[in-house]
Amino acid sequence: MDLIEVLPSLRMLRFPVGAAYLWRDGDELTLIDTGTADAAVEIEEVLDGELRRIVLTHWHEDHTGSAARLAARYGAEVVAHRLEAPVIRGEAVGAPPVLEEFEIPIRAGVPALPPAPPCRVDREVADGDVLEFGGGALVVAVPGHTDGSIAVHLPGPGVLFTGDAVANVGRTTLGVFNTDRARAVASLHRLAAPTVDTAVFGHGDPVVHGAAAALRAAAAATR
């Protein structure tokens, strides 16, 4: 795992597949996504405050894999969209992606990931809900990658966590492996609207300054 300081209050935890993010409010930490099931030990090593909550952007194994262990060990509140919660709890099976032709070789190159153990969800959220970190974190529904995918917008510091709705591998683009491309494209266009300076992604490098312009360019290029 690579630990990268994006902002004084924001660190990126980069894994072989995907990333998670730690937001700090004083001594209180919020973890956005948790990597795969084998990432928990490395995450625990960098927790230097109270892990108050875990926000899961969607149910995929590279985002929820370590959630159950971390939630149990630290008593953190687990937050997810109401449509993702049954899958995260192990009560339902998530829909597989509908691959575009260009995505087939990309998917073939992704290593097999360990399954995510079922994890409790303490708070089920929906579009427009506000979470108590970062001065008020706005939940933004971005369906298409999965039905209940969310992004999280911090209007005060101008930060956007996109989950897998957007990627930034080389350039800012629509995320891959979506269940419904049309809805995913609409979600990308929605994320291009807020005024944000910094954007961080489930896959790819952060955009630390000028994120709004990068998101608008990605949306303009995607129909």
Side-chain angles (χ1 to χ4, degrees):
M1 181 188 79
D2 296 323
L3 182 64
I4 300 164
E5 182 173 295
V6 181
L7 298 170
S9 296
L10 176 61
R11 289 178 289 171
M12 176 185 189
L13 286 58
R14 191 198 301 272
F15 306 111
V17 177
Y21 297 90
L22 271 174
W23 179 269
R24 173 181 292 279
D25 291 299
D27 292 331
E28 184 176 285
L29 301 175
T30 297
L31 180 64
I32 297 90
D33 290 327
T34 67
T36 51
D38 52 5
V41 171
E42 291 181 297
I43 294 173
E44 290 167 3
E45 290 174 351
V46 301
L47 296 179
D48 54 356
E50 177 194 0
L51 183 59
R52 175 66 182 83
R53 68 184 60 78
I54 297 168
V55 181
L56 301 173
T57 61
H58 61 291
W59 66 263
H60 287 162
E61 297 92 334
D62 54 328
H63 295 258
T64 63
S66 292
R69 171 171 168 162
L70 295 171
R73 178 166 184 180
Y74 297 99
E77 176 187 49
V78 181
V79 180
H81 192 278
R82 61 179 182 81
L83 296 179
E84 303 292 281
V87 185
I88 294 168
R89 293 186 183 116
E91 301 165 352
V93 176
V98 179
L99 298 180
E100 302 288 310
E101 186 173 351
F102 80 90
E103 294 176 333
I104 294 173
I106 300 174
R107 181 75 172 194
V110 176
L113 302 177
C119 179
R120 72 174 195 271
V121 176
D122 303 302
R123 180 173 177 182
E124 297 183 19
V125 294
D127 186 59
D129 287 349
V130 177
L131 305 175
E132 296 78 19
F133 74 95
L138 182 66
V139 174
V140 184
V142 286
H145 186 64
T146 64
D147 287 347
S149 285
I150 59 171
V152 180
H153 178 210
L154 308 184
V159 174
L160 180 68
F161 302 87
T162 73
D164 280 1
V166 190
N168 191 50
V169 181
R171 61 189 178 93
T172 307
T173 61
L174 179 72
V176 295
F177 309 154
N178 299 302
T179 59
D180 186 324
R181 188 179 190 279
R183 297 181 80 195
V185 170
S187 292
L188 169 60
H189 281 259
R190 185 179 188 195
L191 292 180
T195 300
V196 295
D197 194 40
T198 299
V200 293
F201 311 89
H203 301 273
D205 297 325
V207 176
V208 179
H209 298 294
L215 291 164
R216 286 195 297 269
T222 308
R223 292 289 183 265

